[in-house]
Amino acid sequence: MNATATVTPITEAAHAPKPQTWFDGAFIDGDAPQAGLTTHAMHYGSGVFEGIRAYATSDGGAAVFRLPEHLERMRKGAALLGMAFDPAQATEAVLATLRTNGHRDAYIRPLAWFGEGSFGLDVEGHMPHLMVATTATQVHLNGKRARVGVSTWRRNPADSLPPLKLCGGYINSILAKREAKQRGFDEALFTDRAGNVVECTGANVFMVKGGVITAVEHPDALPGITRDTLLALSGARARTVSLAELLDADEVFACGTAAEVAPISQIEQREYGENPVSRALAAQYQRIVRGEDAAHRDWLTTV
Ligand code: PMP
């Protein structure tokens, strides 16, 4: 056997420090196993999470976009589960994790969950845990426009499961995404029984018709922070929108922390053409999140 063949080549990656995850007040290697097999959240989805982003700013630093709003939504989810959650502690954990990992353009994933204990559904007595992981995000230019299929699954109705980022609720999104992918689409669009648009699996929906921007409003949809941002920037009106109206629009886009402003090229057989309004809004959003617009610096938390 050639001895040299077994030698692991010395690469930068082999020596790069492992990304650190904040876990209950200390840093651990991101891939270190922590949760035990009786973890309540693993069995029943009894947790709440957020998807947040940090962006490199033009002054060489970085800032988290609308961090208090994300943690307030997380606090609401935790309160519903009767889980202790301290937004001030989570804020420190988010900033410390970004600094420790040296991440500037990053996706941030805080998760609070109930840990080990009994298999009963009563969460009382279960220990709450908190983790924060960050991953570096690539900046995609001219990203592919999404092709969207209309889901046969309904969105969790708000009177069964409130539209918050509760872990177990995302099974609903997973089913719809799986179906859309199996049908050859990239993403799924939820509609309700009355034929009104709800949202995508992880993003809210807007449409543009005759230059007028409209945000889809629906009680079962997550009140998205990107949606709120775009409403403030564009002066768009929020209202109920039917699928028929959406198919008749000039432009449609999805929006969310991860998706940002994501133009949709097709819904089922309907193909959309040029999307100048969506592109202008996407460019404005990029300037805001990177701190290039003095008017909205209050949305940024410096890392
Ligand atoms: N809807 C769902 C179901 C989501 O998971 C997300 C992502 N958090 C959104 C909408 C968009 O929300 P935000 O803009 O706050 O990220």
Side-chain angles (χ1 to χ4, degrees):
M1 194 177 152
N2 180 350
T4 56
T6 62
V7 175
T8 309
I10 298 168
T11 63
E12 227 177 87
H15 290 272
K18 283 191 177 166
Q20 298 291 294
T21 296
W22 190 100
F23 174 59
D24 287 348
F27 281 107
I28 58 166
D29 285 347
D31 55 3
Q34 288 297 329
L37 297 181
T38 64
T39 294
H40 200 267
M42 190 162 81
H43 293 258
Y44 301 119
S46 54
V48 58
F49 68 100
E50 266 304 325
I52 312 174
R53 264 173 101 150
Y55 291 91
T57 46
S58 46
D59 59 5
V64 184
F65 189 62
R66 303 198 71 176
L67 180 59
E69 290 88 343
H70 280 282
L71 295 179
E72 172 55 16
R73 186 167 64 189
M74 192 166 169
R75 189 199 61 74
K76 281 186 194 155
L80 197 67
L81 290 170
M83 183 188 289
F85 176 76
D86 178 4
Q89 182 194 38
T91 301
E92 285 314 309
V94 164
L95 298 177
T97 311
L98 288 167
R99 288 179 195 135
T100 297
N101 289 328
H103 287 158
R104 294 174 68 213
D105 278 304
Y107 182 79
I108 305 159
R109 166 53 55 84
L111 169 69
W113 75 99
F114 281 124
E116 294 171 57
S118 77
F119 291 123
L121 287 171
D122 186 355
V123 294
E124 210 168 295
H126 280 270
M127 178 83 155
H129 295 287
L130 177 65
M131 60 152 271
V132 178
T134 65
T135 55
T137 46
Q138 257 67 52
V139 180
H140 293 290
L141 294 175
N142 303 320
K144 205 171 122 254
R145 290 162 69 186
R147 298 172 58 249
V148 173
V150 177
S151 177
T152 63
W153 298 101
R154 301 286 171 214
R155 190 79 183 120
N156 302 313
D159 57 2
S160 291
L161 199 62
L164 291 163
K165 293 187 75 75
L166 303 169
C167 296
Y170 276 80
I171 292 290
N172 184 226
S173 288
I174 290 169
L175 294 179
K177 186 91 174 179
R178 255 173 62 75
E179 180 191 61
K181 296 296 280 275
Q182 282 166 351
R183 294 185 57 223
F185 292 104
D186 308 309
E187 176 55 325
L189 178 75
F190 288 107
T191 57
D192 68 12
R193 286 180 197 284
N196 292 322
V197 179
V198 184
E199 62 178 335
C200 291
T201 62
N204 295 114
V205 179
F206 278 68
M207 69 172 185
V208 184
K209 175 79 180 172
V212 177
I213 309 175
T214 303
V216 170
E217 184 152 286
H218 198 285
D220 302 340
L222 186 80
I225 291 161
T226 316
R227 175 183 184 275
D228 180 74
T229 301
L230 298 176
L231 277 168
L233 294 180
S234 67
R237 200 180 135 216
R239 64 169 172 86
T240 304
V241 172
S242 69
L243 177 60
E245 264 186 290
L246 202 69
L247 296 174
D248 187 48
D250 303 325
E251 302 179 35
V252 177
F253 62 87
C255 70
T257 298
E260 301 180 311
V261 178
I264 288 172
S265 66
Q266 182 180 344
I267 299 177
E268 294 290 334
Q269 301 313 311
R270 161 73 160 114
E271 290 183 24
Y272 298 90
E274 280 301 295
N275 56 341
V277 178
S278 310
R279 278 192 280 118
L281 204 51
Q284 191 186 4
Y285 184 76
Q286 282 301 316
R287 286 195 298 278
I288 302 280
V289 295
R290 293 182 185 282
E292 290 161 17
D293 186 331
H296 295 287
R297 290 268 165 77
D298 55 328
W299 281 337
L300 307 185
T301 300
T302 303
V303 177

